């Protein structure tokens, strides 16, 4: 083992020094470099195995779980690697090795023989392991093929870090089947990032042996955790040949409104320390900085020992420790843990600690067969009137004229003043140019109650409705206030709610979100006898940004089903088990911490417009 490690170090050194000689500027330290402790701790040292690539995660009880690659001392990662699991009360250990979690499944599987380089994540209540493997099950043949050839990216999911782990029949990210593709040789060293827009991104490294023989990083994207993952059409996203070196083993995370990448240096500056990159969108990355120094800076090893495969342990949303693989002076390997000491100015900004709903999209809305309106007298989704709908003109409103029709509407919410920091105030409601227009902070010098700092608009129908078809054409506000078109009745014994439109595209990460929520807060015995609030919620992905145009929101409600529409397209049909109470119509905008929607004083001029509200009955 010692001899093989030394040979590998020599080979890498020759590879790096054999690159074209490019003048390299001094590498600047990143914000992370200065946060790292002076000394670290070795973990998972073994007399029987080579240990590599330690991926950490906390469980709900505060224990630290590490998933790591290991293979016998007389074996090879290419032929014998498996993923093992260890647990400790604190990041520095000591660790108890629980056993093997994943290994090659044998002939007939895409991950037949070796399973290597894990990374682990919490996604909602699930634990997610990414790994690399290949379908070659013959160990003798594996010894003869080039390193990494045919390796792909896999995923395993569990409800507990102790398993059981669900694997998939196909890789999550596969090589591209094209002889000239940059990633047709291998797809390895995966990292998962839950994007602020709710998508799931898997970054991966490939070795472009078909073109320029460089190691490069790309990304594949999905709207659901289990895929399908589609490769970004402008891959690779990290490769800077003009700097003279290469990179590998990337680790990505989103923190303080930025995308961050920690990646191994393979000759840009040296091949023993780590690099740091930052991005605003996760696709276009800035200049190299240093993430960490070589291993001998923090650990009692020689200056030539490799220190790589960086992973980050997060606690309460903050980066707390670096976990790396390290080669010792005697050639053995283990994990290495290094504390991250974040100063107050680098910790999460307070507004990021909002309670936001977990973004798991139920489906993508397909607009390829969206209907074209032929008659304003019929719901957009039923222009042939197969439902035998009759427009209730006395209860509908085209918002013509110059004032709100107070025969139909309360100009403010008579029963709810708002929730801090936004107070509902009638001054924010106007009828202009054929639209209901809602603004922010039009209350002038009127004093506001304690804890309220801003005002917004709210109208409520004076009539309650039981069943029917309800439709509004809305242009959502492009500012961090929630756009609402919903129905409710807050009775003492009976309180239910149907949210037709509850979206906040003024917050960039929400612009493709379509929320669909139905609530029961309480109900009488003959209506289910509900004592505690429950809801049935679903989130859908839309392939455009909501705030850029008007959209038609529709609800078809009868005794059996509640059906939701946008632009005439049905996207959700829920069984009606409890929603049999006459409900009011609400149109409003407000602050709402669950959507990250806190007032922004730089965006007070934005408006929320409703072109019309219409209601039909059968």
């Amino acid at each position: 083992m010692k001899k093989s490690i030394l040979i590998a170090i020599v080979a890498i050194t020759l590879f790096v020094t054999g690159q074209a000689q490019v003048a390299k500027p001094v590498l600047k330290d990143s914000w992370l470099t200065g946060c790292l402790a002076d000394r670290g701790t070795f973990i998972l040292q073994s007399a029987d195995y080579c240990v590599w690539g330690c991926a950490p995660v906390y469980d709900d009880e505060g224990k630290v779980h590490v998933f790591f690659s290991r293979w016998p001392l007389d074996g090879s990662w290419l032929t014998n690697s498996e993923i093992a699991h260890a647990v400790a009360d604190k990041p520095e250990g000591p660790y108890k090795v629980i056993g093997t979690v994943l290994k090659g499944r044998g002939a007939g599987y895409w991950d037949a023989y070796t399973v290597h380089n894990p990374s682990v994540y919490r996604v909602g209540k699930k634990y997610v392991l990414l790994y690399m493997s290949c379908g070659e099950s013959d160990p003798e043949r594996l010894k003869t093929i080039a390193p990494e050839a045919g390796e792909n990216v896999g995923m395993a999911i569990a409800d507990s870090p102790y398993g059981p782990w669900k694997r998939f029949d196909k890789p999550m990210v596969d090589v591209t089947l094209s002889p000239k593709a940059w990633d047709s040789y291998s797809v390895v060293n995966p990292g998962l990032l839950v994007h602020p827009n709710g998508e799931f991104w898997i970054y991966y490294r490939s070795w472009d042996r078909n073109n320029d023989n460089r190691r490069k990083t790309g990304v594949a994207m999905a709207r659901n955790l289990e895929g399908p993952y589609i490769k970004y059409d402008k891959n690779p996203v990290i490769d800077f040949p003009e700097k003279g070196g290469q990179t590998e083993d990337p680790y990505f995370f989103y923190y303080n409104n930025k995308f961050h990448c920690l990646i191994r240096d393979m000759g840009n500056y040296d091949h023993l320390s780590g690099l740091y990159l930052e991005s605003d969108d996760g696709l276009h990355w800035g200049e190299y900085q240093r993430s960490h120094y070589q291993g001998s800076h923090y650990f009692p090893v020689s200056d030539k020992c490799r220190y790589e495969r960086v992973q980050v342990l997060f606690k309460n949303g903050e980066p707390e420790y670096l976990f790396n693989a390290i080669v010792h002076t005697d050639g053995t390997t283990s994990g290495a843990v290094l504390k991250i000491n974040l100063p107050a100015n680098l910790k999460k900004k307070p507004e990021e600690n909002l309670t936001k709903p977990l973004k798991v999209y139920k489906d993508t809305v397909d607009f390829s067969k969206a209907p074209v309106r032929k008659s304003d007298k019929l719901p957009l989704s039923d222009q042939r009137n197969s439902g035998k709908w009759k427009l209730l003109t006395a209860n509908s409103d085209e918002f013509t004229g110059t004032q709100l029709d107070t025969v139909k509407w309360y100009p403010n919410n008579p029963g709810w003043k708002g929730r801090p920091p936004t107070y509902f105030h009638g001054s924010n409601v106007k009828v202009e140019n054929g639209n209901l227009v809602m603004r922010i902070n039009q209350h002038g010098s009127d004093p506001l109650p304690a804890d309220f700092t801003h005002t917004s608009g709210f109208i409520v129908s004076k009539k309650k409705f039981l069943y029917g078809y309800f439709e509004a054409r809305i242009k959502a506000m492009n500012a961090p206030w929630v756009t609402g078109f919903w129905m409710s009745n807050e009775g003492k014994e009976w309180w239910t709610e149907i949210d037709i439109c509850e979206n906040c595209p003024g917050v960039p990460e929400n612009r493709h979100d379509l929320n669909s929520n139905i609530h029961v807060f309480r109900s009488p015995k003959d209506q289910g006898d509900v004592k505690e609030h429950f809801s049935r919620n679903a989130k859908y992905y839309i392939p455009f940004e909501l705030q850029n145009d008007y959209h038609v929101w529709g609800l078809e409600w009868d005794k059996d089903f509640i059906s939701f529409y946008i632009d005439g397209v049905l996207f959700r049909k829920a069984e009606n088990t409890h929603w049999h109470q006459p409900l009011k119509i609400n149109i409003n905008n407000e602050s709402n911490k669950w959507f990250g929607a806190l007032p922004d004083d730089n965006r007070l001029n934005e408006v929320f417009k409703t072109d019309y509200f219409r209601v039909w009955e059968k």
Side-chain angles (χ1 to χ4, degrees):
M1 174 61 194
K2 297 178 185 178
K3 183 178 180 181
S4 64
I5 291 291
L6 291 173
I7 290 172
I9 293 172
V10 171
I12 290 172
T13 303
L14 290 173
F15 173 82
V16 171
T17 56
Q19 301 291 299
Q21 296 301 308
V22 178
K24 300 180 178 66
V26 175
L27 184 61
K28 296 180 180 178
D29 287 352
S30 68
W31 62 267
L32 178 62
T33 317
C35 297
L36 298 177
D38 294 333
R39 290 289 179 267
T41 303
F42 295 131
I43 62 169
L44 298 172
Q45 292 174 276
S46 173
D48 302 314
Y49 291 96
C50 295
V51 170
W52 204 246
C54 299
V57 67
Y58 276 109
D59 67 15
D60 292 334
E61 284 71 46
K63 290 187 179 296
V64 183
H65 297 260
V66 171
F67 297 86
F68 59 98
S69 297
R70 68 179 184 182
W71 60 94
L73 296 179
D74 60 352
S76 164
W77 72 265
L78 185 63
T79 57
N80 304 100
S81 182
E82 62 183 19
I83 296 174
H85 173 210
V87 64
D89 292 326
K90 58 182 182 178
E92 295 89 348
Y95 283 85
K96 178 182 179 181
V97 176
I98 305 300
T100 301
V101 172
L102 300 177
K103 59 183 179 180
R105 290 187 281 184
Y109 290 93
W110 77 268
D111 51 356
Y113 207 75
T114 194
V115 178
H116 193 52
N117 277 357
S119 56
V120 66
Y121 309 88
R122 287 293 300 268
V123 178
K125 294 182 179 180
K126 300 289 187 181
Y127 293 82
V128 181
L129 264 176
L130 295 185
Y131 61 95
M132 54 185 269
S133 188
C134 71
E136 179 58 63
S137 61
D138 182 354
E140 294 305 315
R141 171 165 163 70
L142 280 170
K143 294 177 182 178
T144 65
I145 63 176
E148 295 184 10
E151 296 273 350
N152 298 309
V153 169
M155 178 185 289
I157 300 176
D159 294 326
S160 163
Y162 297 98
W165 292 90
K166 170 191 171 183
R167 284 201 256 188
F168 296 85
D169 293 336
K170 296 180 179 180
M172 285 293 151
V173 185
D174 203 344
V175 294
T176 299
L177 299 178
S178 171
K180 282 297 182 181
W182 75 279
D183 58 354
S184 65
Y185 178 74
S186 64
V187 173
V188 299
N189 300 347
L192 177 69
L193 185 143
V194 181
H195 196 282
N197 69 10
E199 293 180 339
F200 300 91
W201 290 18
I202 293 179
Y203 290 90
Y204 62 93
R205 196 267 290 163
S206 187
W207 189 352
D208 189 357
R209 298 186 65 154
N210 295 318
N211 298 293
D212 54 13
N213 206 37
R214 294 180 56 80
R215 291 165 176 83
K216 306 170 183 178
T217 297
V219 63
M221 307 162 181
R223 296 189 183 118
N224 296 291
L225 175 62
E226 297 182 11
Y229 284 84
I230 307 301
K231 292 180 180 178
Y232 179 52
D233 60 4
K234 295 181 180 178
N235 276 336
V237 296
I238 296 179
D239 179 40
F240 302 110
E242 70 278 5
K243 297 183 183 299
Q246 303 181 39
T247 54
E248 71 163 358
D249 293 348
Y251 180 88
F252 294 85
F253 60 98
Y254 184 77
Y255 179 71
N256 272 347
N257 300 315
K258 294 284 186 180
F259 295 84
H260 308 265
C261 173
L262 310 181
I263 196 165
R264 180 192 170 201
D265 189 358
M266 295 185 70
N268 295 277
Y269 299 91
D270 64 66
H271 68 277
L272 295 172
S273 61
L275 299 176
Y276 168 85
L277 292 158
E278 188 174 283
S279 172
D280 290 324
D281 61 5
L283 300 171
H284 303 89
W285 296 88
E287 289 295 317
Y288 285 136
Q289 300 177 58
R290 187 189 308 279
S291 63
H292 60 75
Y293 288 89
Q294 63 192 57
S296 60
H297 188 89
Y298 311 102
F299 300 92
V301 297
S302 78
D303 290 343
K304 300 298 182 182
C305 287
R306 289 168 59 180
Y307 176 56
E308 55 196 65
R309 285 295 303 158
V310 63
Q311 308 269 300
V312 180
L313 177 64
F314 281 82
K315 186 174 185 178
N316 299 325
E318 307 279 1
E320 186 187 33
Y321 283 85
L322 286 191
F323 278 65
N324 287 55
I326 194 166
V327 178
H328 295 249
T329 305
D330 64 1
T332 59
T333 61
S334 75
V337 177
L338 194 60
K339 183 76 169 68
I340 301 172
N341 298 303
L342 280 180
N345 65 311
L346 289 180
K347 291 189 175 181
K348 265 194 170 184
K349 298 176 177 60
E351 61 268 23
E352 290 198 309
N353 293 323
L354 297 172
T355 303
K356 300 181 184 179
L358 173 66
K359 288 203 177 183
V360 176
Y361 293 113
K362 186 175 181 63
D363 203 350
T364 298
V365 183
D366 181 5
F367 290 89
S368 62
K369 296 181 180 179
V372 176
R373 185 181 291 282
K374 296 179 180 179
S375 172
D376 289 340
K377 295 181 179 181
L378 297 171
L380 177 57
S381 66
D382 190 6
Q383 288 291 283
R384 295 184 178 182
N385 201 19
S386 59
K388 308 297 183 182
W389 297 108
K390 178 183 177 181
L391 179 64
L392 302 180
T393 55
N395 304 118
S396 302
D397 201 332
E398 301 295 318
F399 299 114
T400 55
T402 59
Q403 291 185 336
L404 184 71
D405 186 344
T406 55
V407 174
K408 299 176 180 177
W409 305 97
Y410 292 105
N412 202 3
N413 190 321
W416 184 25
K417 67 179 181 180
R419 51 186 147 201
T422 304
Y423 186 78
F424 300 132
H425 199 283
S427 63
N428 295 296
V429 178
K430 302 290 183 184
V431 174
E432 300 174 355
N433 301 317
N435 279 259
L436 171 70
V437 180
M438 291 187 177
R439 293 183 170 86
I440 302 297
N441 276 12
Q442 301 298 304
H443 61 284
S445 59
D446 288 0
L448 300 180
D451 299 325
F452 291 93
T453 59
H454 295 72
T455 61
S456 67
F458 202 132
I459 67 169
V460 182
S461 68
K462 292 186 175 180
K463 178 178 173 60
K464 297 182 180 72
F465 302 90
L466 179 61
Y467 310 141
Y469 196 108
F470 308 85
E471 187 177 277
R473 183 171 181 261
I474 288 171
K475 189 175 189 298
M477 179 177 281
N478 188 18
W481 277 267
V482 178
T483 294
F485 168 42
W486 50 295
M487 305 178 72
S488 66
N489 190 346
E490 304 84 7
K492 184 177 180 180
E493 302 291 334
W494 199 2
W495 178 3
T496 61
E497 178 181 320
I498 301 174
D499 297 331
I500 308 170
C501 170
E502 186 182 24
N503 297 277
C504 188
V507 174
E509 64 193 67
N510 299 335
R511 286 177 175 165
H512 294 277
D513 292 5
L514 187 58
N515 302 303
S516 172
N517 310 314
I518 48 180
H519 302 266
V520 179
F521 294 88
R522 51 182 172 261
S523 69
K525 289 184 178 181
D526 61 346
Q527 295 295 332
D529 196 23
V530 175
K531 303 298 184 183
E532 295 183 0
H533 166 248
F534 75 86
S535 61
R536 294 174 184 165
N537 306 331
K539 187 183 296 289
Y540 296 80
Y541 181 90
I542 51 175
F544 49 75
E545 295 187 359
L546 271 178
Q547 80 283 0
N548 289 334
D549 205 348
Y550 284 89
H551 295 282
V552 178
W553 303 86
L555 177 82
E556 183 178 353
W557 174 31
D558 61 34
K559 64 182 181 63
D560 297 314
F561 294 100
I562 305 172
S563 301
F564 295 82
Y565 297 83
I566 180 170
D567 293 335
V569 176
L570 175 68
F571 66 90
R572 182 187 182 190
K573 188 171 184 177
E575 184 180 359
N576 187 357
T577 57
H578 290 77
W579 290 267
H580 306 289
Q581 177 190 23
L583 302 178
K584 305 168 293 184
I585 300 295
N586 306 295
I587 301 175
N588 77 305
N589 59 333
E590 63 153 328
S591 294
N592 188 319
K593 67 178 183 177
W594 293 281
F595 294 93
L598 289 181
D600 182 350
D601 288 340
N602 295 315
R603 300 164 70 187
L604 295 178
N605 294 325
E606 297 290 339
V607 297
F608 161 29
K609 295 181 180 180
T610 304
D611 180 29
Y612 64 79
F613 163 73
R614 295 172 187 156
V615 57
W616 291 264
E617 68 177 8
K618 290 188 175 182

